[in-house]
């Protein structure tokens, strides 16, 4: 099919129709497309042409001399005629040699119509073929739209929609934010430098689409295209649903030019992606979630409302994983605050498999429905977006506060080790399992008892500072950065801890013993508000 939205039929399809008996006797061998069929016997038919025609003639007014025939062919080529059909008999017993030469010279396909083929039969066959192509396109569009709608209802809706889009348009697809971060992708990736060119095109298009429209000028473009060494790159910005979400862009890379089917399917996909990335959808404001919130605020316990937060098609045994996250920009990344984008909420929620997230500046907390005795999986996409994550073990809803502390400790270890994520594991196979939990807790309380008698800043602040410092292997600067306080404050607090506990914090045995005790100190005796600078 041609690259325009006008329906057309390949000339080769008409040549292959045995009922017509057509044969090409001049012009290029490359296929062309026919959008309509016209008949003419006037000396200059160009005023009546619109382009894309298969122009049929019996040569009634065809000039006799070669110069006149050449001028005739020149005019119809300039008018956009796709091909010329010449019917032999009764005016001409055969196609004039001068006409064959002129069509070869000007690159116009010339067809020979045998005497038994009426012109109207050629027109009817062409329109029948166009109708069949149209029906085929409608079937493809309908099938793709049904697949996209089903994908949008899945828990991993964004990834599923992109996957179906890539399948039905046979192109690689990616969703970009304004900084060029690839939030999701599907389909075959183009060879280098295709991915970088697509990313750059998306960033430029988003920037232009965000510009304010100037009165008297056309609106900023919402789409762009680029062709590079056989790869067709296209970008479509997502239409905003409420004006509060930052712009996103859908990028596509294909080895063929977009067709009408591709554009129709892509148009529906952009609307679905826009709805799926809206803040209201990201926050999971469906009837079940809202109902659970209302019940919780009116006195219900978390255990009573938790079942309403798990989709009916996803029964997981009533356990939850708590996730803590910290957004850290790499030194090579441009300075921006993408963690404030609602798109980050959507991307992370889809990657983690939950709509229950809270992003506060560069900090993340999430609840992920889970099954007991399973190990959480850290999504690689989170690290690509600049997030470091800590995961708790799966726990019943009654132990969420404990899981919250587990996730916080896991995040601290991830930051200390510069790992993209750390997952908390139970102590069944560790040294901690050799000590009874009751005895370990009593030892921990006794070991840190002097701190609970200390004046301001208090035991919780001192214990949190000690744990963070041990997590960072005694590094002052990294501890200060993690707690968002001055390094001298860290030194002062640790000196106070050493004095109250009467220990040498530079002794590795002391550090090991304190880390063990901290591990068993009840979470509610350490957890508290974060430090303020």
């Amino acid at each position: 099919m041609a690259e325009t939205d006008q329906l057309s039929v390949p000339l080769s399809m008409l040549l292959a129709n045995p009922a017509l008996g057509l044969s090409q006797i001049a012009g290029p061998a490359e296929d062309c497309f026919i959008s309509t069929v016209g008949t003419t016997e006037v000396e200059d038919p160009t005023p009546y042409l619109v382009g894309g025609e298969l122009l049929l003639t019996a040569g009634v007014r065809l000039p006799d001399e070669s110069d006149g025939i050449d001028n005739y062919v020149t005019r119809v080529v300039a008018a956009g005629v796709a091909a010329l059909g010449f019917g032999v008999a009764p005016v001409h017993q055969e196609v004039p040699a001068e006409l064959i030469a002129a069509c070869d010279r000007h690159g116009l396909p010339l067809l020979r119509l045998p005497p038994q083929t009426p012109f109207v039969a050629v027109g009817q066959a062409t329109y029948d073929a166009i109708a069949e192509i149209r029906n085929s396109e409608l079937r493809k569009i309908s099938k793709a739209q049904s697949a996209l709608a089903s994908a949008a209802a899945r828990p991993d809706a964004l990834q599923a929609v992109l996957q179906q889009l890539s399948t039905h348009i046979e192109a690689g697809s990616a969703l970009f934010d304004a900084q060029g971060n690839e939030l999701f992708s599907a389909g075959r990736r183009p060879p280098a430098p295709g991915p970088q060119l697509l990313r750059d095109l998306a960033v430029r298009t988003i920037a232009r689409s965000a510009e304010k429209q100037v009165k008297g000028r056309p609106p900023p473009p919402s789409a762009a295209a680029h062709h590079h060494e056989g790869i067709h790159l296209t970008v479509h910005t997502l239409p905003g649903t409420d004006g509060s979400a930052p712009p996103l862009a859908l990028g596509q890379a294909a080895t063929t030019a977009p067709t009408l089917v591709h554009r129709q399917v892509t148009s529906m996909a952009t609307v679905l992606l826009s709805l799926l990335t809206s803040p209201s959808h990201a926050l999971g404001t469906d009837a079940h979630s809202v109902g659970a919130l209302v019940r919780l605020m009116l006195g219900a316990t978390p255990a009573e409302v938790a079942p309403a937060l798990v989709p009916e098609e996803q029964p997981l045994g009533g356990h939850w994983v708590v996730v803590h996250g910290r957004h850290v920009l790499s030194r090579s990344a441009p300075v921006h605050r993408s963690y404030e984008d609602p798109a980050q909420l959507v991307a992370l929620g889809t990657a983690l498999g939950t709509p229950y997230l809270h992003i506060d500046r560069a900090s993340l907390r999430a609840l992920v429905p889970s099954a007991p005795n399973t190990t959480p999986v850290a999504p690689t996409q989170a690290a690509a977006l600049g997030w470091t994550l800590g995961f708790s073990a799966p726990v019943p809803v009654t132990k969420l506060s404990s899981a919250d502390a587990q996730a916080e400790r896991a995040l601290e270890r991830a930051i200390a080790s510069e790992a993209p994520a750390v997952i908390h594991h139970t102590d069944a196979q560790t040294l901690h399992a050799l000590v009874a939990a009751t005895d370990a807790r009593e030892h921990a309380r006794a070991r840190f008892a002097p701190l609970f008698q200390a004046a301001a800043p208090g035991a919780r602040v001192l214990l949190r500072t000690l744990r963070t410092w041990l997590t960072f292997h005694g590094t002052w600067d990294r501890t200060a950065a993690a707690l968002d306080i001055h390094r001298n404050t860290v030194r002062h607090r640790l000196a106070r801890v050493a004095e109250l506990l009467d220990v040498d914090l530079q002794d590795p045995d002391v550090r090991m013993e304190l880390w063990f005790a901290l591990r068993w100190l009840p979470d509610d005796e350490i957890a508290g508000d974060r430090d303020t600078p």
Side-chain angles (χ1 to χ4, degrees):
M1 179 172 168
E3 294 185 17
T4 66
D5 289 344
Q6 186 175 10
L7 291 174
S8 57
V9 58
L11 179 59
S12 57
M13 185 178 292
L14 300 180
L15 293 172
N17 189 334
L20 298 179
L22 305 178
S23 59
Q24 183 174 347
I25 58 176
E30 293 83 5
D31 210 353
C32 63
F33 290 85
I34 307 299
S35 58
T36 187
V37 177
T39 302
T40 181
E41 298 298 346
V42 298
E43 294 180 359
D44 182 11
T46 54
Y48 311 103
L49 302 176
V50 295
E53 296 96 344
L54 168 57
L55 186 62
L56 303 179
T57 180
V60 175
R61 296 292 184 90
L62 189 70
D64 296 328
E65 71 283 359
S66 59
D67 287 346
I69 292 177
D70 189 85
N71 289 335
Y72 178 88
V73 173
T74 300
R75 288 195 298 269
V76 297
V77 168
V81 167
L84 182 65
F86 195 91
V88 296
V91 180
H92 295 268
Q93 297 305 311
E94 196 49 71
V95 181
E98 294 84 358
L99 181 60
I100 296 174
C103 288
D104 275 331
R105 193 161 46 248
H106 294 284
L108 178 66
L110 175 62
L111 311 185
R112 180 184 184 276
L113 277 67
Q116 67 271 20
T117 301
F119 285 7
V120 68
V122 177
Q124 186 62 53
T126 301
Y127 298 132
D128 287 346
I130 289 176
E132 177 55 33
I133 291 174
R134 178 57 173 168
N135 290 335
S136 176
E137 289 181 342
L138 290 175
R139 288 192 294 270
K140 290 179 181 178
I141 293 172
S142 177
K143 183 178 179 180
Q145 289 177 338
S146 177
L148 288 172
S150 298
R154 288 169 51 104
D156 58 339
L158 285 172
Q159 185 65 53
V161 168
L162 277 185
Q163 187 62 56
Q164 289 298 327
L165 174 63
S166 296
T167 298
H168 286 277
I169 67 173
E170 298 180 347
S173 302
L175 187 64
F176 296 98
D177 66 12
Q179 288 74 39
N181 294 313
E182 188 177 286
L183 304 180
F184 295 93
S185 64
R188 180 177 298 179
R189 297 177 69 86
Q196 185 60 49
L197 292 176
L198 186 62
R199 181 178 292 105
D200 294 342
L201 184 62
V203 171
R204 293 196 303 271
T205 306
I206 290 175
R208 289 197 300 267
S209 67
E211 296 174 357
K212 293 183 178 180
Q213 183 175 356
V214 179
K215 186 177 181 180
R217 295 184 181 179
S222 59
H226 179 63
H227 183 267
H228 177 78
E229 297 181 357
I231 303 297
H232 296 265
L233 306 175
T234 57
V235 167
H236 301 266
T237 57
L238 302 190
T241 58
D242 56 10
S244 63
L248 302 174
L250 171 64
Q252 297 172 310
T255 55
T256 58
T259 66
L260 174 61
V261 173
H262 294 169
R263 286 190 284 271
Q264 290 283 352
V265 175
T266 299
S267 178
M268 179 178 181
T270 57
V271 174
L272 286 176
L273 291 171
S274 177
L275 294 173
L276 292 171
T277 54
S278 66
S280 59
H281 185 278
L283 292 171
T285 52
D286 56 85
H288 290 289
S289 301
V290 171
L293 176 61
V294 171
R295 292 170 59 196
L296 190 65
M297 295 185 69
L298 294 179
T301 65
E304 291 173 327
V305 302
L309 301 179
V310 181
E312 294 180 0
E313 67 275 7
Q314 192 182 359
L316 294 174
H319 279 57
W320 297 81
V321 170
V322 178
V323 183
H324 282 212
R326 181 75 58 82
H327 190 276
V328 181
L329 287 175
S330 64
R331 294 180 180 179
S332 60
V335 177
H336 62 276
R337 302 174 71 180
S338 61
Y339 55 78
E340 295 181 345
D341 294 351
Q344 287 274 356
L345 199 65
V346 181
L348 287 169
T350 302
L352 291 170
T354 180
Y356 308 119
L357 297 94
H358 172 65
I359 295 180
D360 181 13
R361 301 188 52 153
S363 296
L364 159 75
R365 297 176 79 181
L367 284 172
V368 182
S370 181
N373 303 318
T374 59
T375 301
V377 177
T380 56
Q381 183 182 14
L385 295 174
W387 288 93
T388 299
L389 301 178
F391 291 78
S392 76
V395 300
V397 69
T398 55
K399 295 185 177 180
L400 284 178
S401 60
S402 175
D404 190 46
Q406 291 177 7
E408 183 176 1
R409 290 197 297 268
L411 175 61
E412 290 174 351
R413 293 198 298 272
I415 295 173
S417 60
E418 298 183 349
V422 166
I423 298 171
H424 176 86
H425 295 282
T426 59
D427 300 324
Q429 304 298 325
T430 69
L431 186 62
H432 292 281
L434 301 178
V435 181
T438 303
D439 295 339
R441 291 191 185 95
E442 289 303 318
H443 167 75
R445 287 194 177 99
R447 189 69 186 88
F448 294 113
L451 299 187
F452 289 96
Q453 307 302 320
R460 292 192 179 193
V461 172
L462 294 177
L463 287 169
R464 178 178 173 80
T465 305
L466 174 62
R467 189 177 69 186
T468 305
W469 183 73
L470 292 173
T471 299
F472 286 105
H473 308 291
T475 305
W476 306 102
D477 290 335
R478 297 180 67 184
T479 303
L483 296 175
D484 198 19
I485 57 178
H486 195 277
R487 66 193 307 270
N488 288 340
T489 304
V490 175
R491 289 181 178 275
H492 176 75
R493 290 180 183 177
L494 268 297
R496 183 64 175 155
V497 169
E499 177 186 353
L500 291 171
L501 299 181
D502 191 21
V503 295
D504 179 7
L505 292 180
Q506 301 306 314
D507 186 333
D509 288 336
V510 170
R511 294 191 189 188
M512 180 181 66
E513 188 261 338
L514 292 178
W515 181 256
F516 180 91
L518 280 169
R519 179 69 177 77
W520 282 104
L521 195 65
D523 296 321
D524 58 0
E525 296 183 20
I526 300 179
D529 296 334
R530 293 187 177 275
D531 291 276
T532 55

